[in-house]
Amino acid sequence: EEIRKIRADTINRPIRITQGLIERRLSLPKKQLNNCPLCIAEVKKQHETQEEHWARVVQWAVEKLIQEGKEVNISNIIHKSI
């Protein structure tokens, strides 16, 4: 459920799905998800490389710039992505 919420958020900058992120969102102690094989399997299923995450962030930034009516250029994309 938490992963779906994170993925569905198109307003804020995309967040990379990690075991630590899910544990923090659910207020669980570190490595607690290791006791839940189904949860770990879902996190691994949603795993993306750093490059895939960056691509998703750039795509989000371009979409946001277009929505805001701003010029789409490298400077604006970088500024929006940070």
Side-chain angles (χ1 to χ4, degrees), residues 71-82:
E71 184 179 354
V72 178
N73 59 38
I74 192 70
S75 178
N76 285 345
I77 291 171
I78 291 170
H79 180 70
K80 191 63 135 176
S81 297
I82 297 175

Side-chain angles (χ1 to χ4, degrees), residues 13-26:
R13 183 179 185 273
I15 301 172
R16 186 171 181 208
I17 306 297
T18 64
Q19 180 177 340
L21 172 71
I22 301 304
E23 289 169 342
R24 285 190 301 277
R25 290 283 185 106
L26 298 175

Side-chain angles (χ1 to χ4, degrees), residues 27-65:
S27 301
L28 297 173
K30 287 186 176 188
K31 306 295 183 188
Q32 185 67 35
L33 281 183
N34 290 338
N35 297 330
C36 181
L38 293 176
C39 296
I40 289 293
E42 187 62 28
V43 170
K44 287 181 179 178
K45 188 172 121 182
Q46 297 293 331
H47 178 265
E48 61 188 352
T49 66
Q50 188 64 49
E51 290 80 9
E52 290 169 332
H53 173 67
W54 289 335
R56 197 160 54 94
V57 170
V58 168
Q59 181 179 10
W60 169 85
V62 168
E63 290 171 4
K64 282 295 179 188
L65 289 170

